[in-house]
Amino acid sequence: MSKLDVLTKLLFEGKSYRSYEDIEKLVQVESDLSMVPIQPLYISLLNSTTDQIAEILPRLSPKQRQAFVDLDLWEKDHVDVSTFEYWIEVYSKIKDLDLIESFVSSDDFLLYLKSRINIHTFDVEDPMYPDHDDYFLTDDMLLLVEFSKEYKYSSELKFLIRNLYAKYGVENAYSLLFKLVNDSFAVIQEKQYQEKKTRQAELGFVDYY
């Protein structure tokens, strides 16, 4: 199902709820949103800023948060990094460290890293730097994270990777990212696409692709 098809379905189902406007009111009055149906809730938040979503996410259930990411990470069976970067910005603004660590340890974040940036090993004793300034070193000085000149989220990415290290510890975080460098992108993408497809089917989204 294309993003346009998904959005059309969401709009149709959102309109079927008599309490659609009430959902928007719940969002505004800082009520718990964990029991609100995913489809109309997603529609009600489409025009929200990243600052607003950062405040709202702690009020959602893990299932809701995963569904929102699933809807934005994929274009058919391919990763859509440009849309997903909305969530990179959102999670860099969240105050709840548990939610941040949950996000950076997710397969979605790792797939984004594999899709969007290059990670290289770095030798402090014999350092080799790129011939540009579009990179940063991880806090352990063992990995160099390189990105394109047009990339707008280097500060947010550095913050999130730092939280990845905080969750796993230096040795385990390094091992995780080093393994990511060597894993096949096609294999990772296909595996996670199938998992996303199953989750969305459980929510009533049929993937015809």
Side-chain angles (χ1 to χ4, degrees):
M1 182 182 290
S2 70
K3 283 193 173 179
L4 181 59
D5 293 334
V6 171
L7 185 57
T8 300
K9 175 178 172 60
L10 289 170
L11 286 167
F12 177 79
E13 295 192 5
K15 290 178 180 178
S16 70
Y17 288 90
R18 291 183 301 172
S19 60
Y20 181 72
E21 292 183 357
D22 292 335
I23 292 175
E24 294 180 336
K25 292 177 182 178
L26 286 174
V27 172
Q28 295 171 2
V29 299
E30 300 186 358
S31 299
D32 175 55
L33 302 172
S34 61
M35 300 304 293
V36 177
I38 289 171
Q39 290 88 341
L41 180 59
Y42 181 84
I43 291 299
S44 71
L45 298 177
L46 276 177
N47 295 321
S48 301
T49 66
T50 54
D51 291 296
Q52 290 170 326
I53 295 297
E55 293 292 330
I56 291 169
L57 275 189
R59 296 155 56 194
L60 306 182
S61 69
K63 188 174 183 179
Q64 288 170 319
R65 290 191 289 268
Q66 181 62 60
F68 287 2
V69 169
D70 283 340
L71 288 167
D72 285 344
L73 178 57
W74 298 91
E75 176 63 43
K76 295 183 178 179
D77 60 344
H78 298 287
V79 174
D80 186 345
V81 293
S82 60
T83 304
F84 190 71
E85 282 168 350
Y86 177 87
W87 294 103
I88 296 298
E89 187 173 349
V90 166
Y91 275 94
S92 70
K93 296 178 177 180
I94 289 180
K95 299 176 183 178
D96 189 324
L97 290 179
D98 288 337
L99 287 186
I100 296 172
E101 290 186 355
S102 176
F103 176 71
V104 299
S105 62
S106 69
D107 289 338
D108 300 311
F109 180 66
L110 296 177
L111 180 59
Y112 169 79
L113 294 181
K114 186 72 173 177
S115 307
R116 196 68 172 91
I117 64 172
N118 294 313
I119 301 177
H120 311 279
T121 55
F122 185 77
D123 187 347
V124 178
E125 296 182 356
D126 184 22
M128 296 183 63
Y129 296 96
D131 57 358
H132 56 75
D133 297 325
D134 305 309
Y135 69 90
F136 61 81
L137 295 174
T138 52
D139 289 348
D140 57 5
M141 302 291 287
L142 295 176
L143 294 172
L144 185 148
V145 178
E146 184 182 18
F147 40 87
S148 68
K149 185 176 182 179
E150 295 76 23
Y151 188 65
K152 300 178 181 179
Y153 302 96
S154 58
S155 296
E156 292 86 347
L157 184 63
K158 189 172 185 178
F159 169 78
L160 293 172
I161 290 179
R162 182 169 289 153
N163 276 274
L164 179 72
Y165 272 78
K167 177 175 176 60
Y168 287 113
V170 171
E171 184 176 345
N172 290 333
Y174 171 83
S175 297
L176 182 66
L177 293 177
F178 183 77
K179 180 177 183 298
L180 186 67
V181 171
N182 294 287
D183 284 347
S184 164
F185 172 74
V187 171
I188 296 174
Q189 180 175 246
E190 177 60 22
K191 175 179 178 293
Q192 292 187 215
Y193 168 70
Q194 293 300 331
E195 292 174 355
K196 182 274 300 188
K197 186 175 178 180
T198 298
R199 287 193 298 267
Q200 288 204 313
E202 292 173 351
L203 297 174
F205 297 109
V206 180
D207 191 338
Y208 296 102
Y209 183 73

